Amino acid sequence: MKKTILWSLLGLMVCMLTFTACSNDDDDNSISCSTITGAWTIQSGTLDTNDNDSPAQTINFKNDSSVIITYADGTLDDRTNKWSLAGDSLRINWNIKNGVVDDYIIGKLSFSDNNTVTYTYTSHDGSGAWDSKDTKTIILKKK
């Protein structure tokens, strides 16, 4: 009787191991936060930001999910801007006040190497009042 139970448990364990599938956690579109964190210079294209006529030159994605923009005229946009990453989709929320997002951009990241990324995005109003139909692309190089 004990041998029957032992063999049954052993058979059950073999079946469990045989029919257990490993999930594919290596999604080709997945980008880690550590890959995007840091300072990036804009090589080409224009970044839609709030309230500055000078073109953005540098984007700094901080570990605390804040974003600091440096403009060509030397000014900084260090308001409450936040970034988030889901797979290869990057969202940047601009000028968050009391938990309310003023505007945001969202789009896809595509790396050509570890130091160069293409970001194709659209702009949106945080309250949903408008959505841009224009798709824009910038190329960023890690500093």
Side-chain angles (χ1 to χ4, degrees), residues 20-70:
T20 302
C22 296
S23 65
N24 184 0
D25 293 335
D26 298 331
D27 184 357
D28 291 340
N29 293 331
S30 184
I31 299 169
S32 72
C33 290
S34 63
T35 304
I36 198 72
T37 301
W40 297 79
T41 56
I42 298 174
Q43 301 295 300
S44 68
T46 303
L47 181 67
D48 281 348
T49 62
N50 283 338
D51 309 328
N52 194 314
D53 294 330
S54 180
Q57 273 191 324
T58 304
I59 306 171
N60 194 347
F61 297 100
K62 307 295 263 176
N63 283 328
D64 65 357
S65 78
S66 63
V67 179
I68 298 175
I69 307 295
T70 306

Side-chain angles (χ1 to χ4, degrees), residues 41-127:
T41 56
I42 298 174
Q43 301 295 300
S44 68
T46 303
L47 181 67
D48 281 348
T49 62
N50 283 338
D51 309 328
N52 194 314
D53 294 330
S54 180
Q57 273 191 324
T58 304
I59 306 171
N60 194 347
F61 297 100
K62 307 295 263 176
N63 283 328
D64 65 357
S65 78
S66 63
V67 179
I68 298 175
I69 307 295
T70 306
Y71 294 96
D73 64 6
T75 59
L76 292 178
D77 182 352
D78 58 356
R79 297 175 294 179
T80 311
N81 306 317
K82 296 284 185 182
W83 66 277
S84 61
L85 187 62
D88 64 349
S89 179
L90 173 68
R91 177 176 168 146
I92 303 174
N93 295 320
W94 302 122
N95 199 22
I96 303 166
K97 292 182 184 172
N98 299 321
V100 177
V101 176
D102 184 20
D103 296 324
Y104 68 93
I105 60 175
I106 190 166
K108 300 288 182 192
L109 294 169
S110 175
F111 281 85
S112 56
D113 59 47
N114 284 338
N115 295 319
T116 307
V117 65
T118 300
Y119 180 46
T120 304
Y121 68 93
T122 54
S123 300
H124 306 271
D125 180 65
S127 66

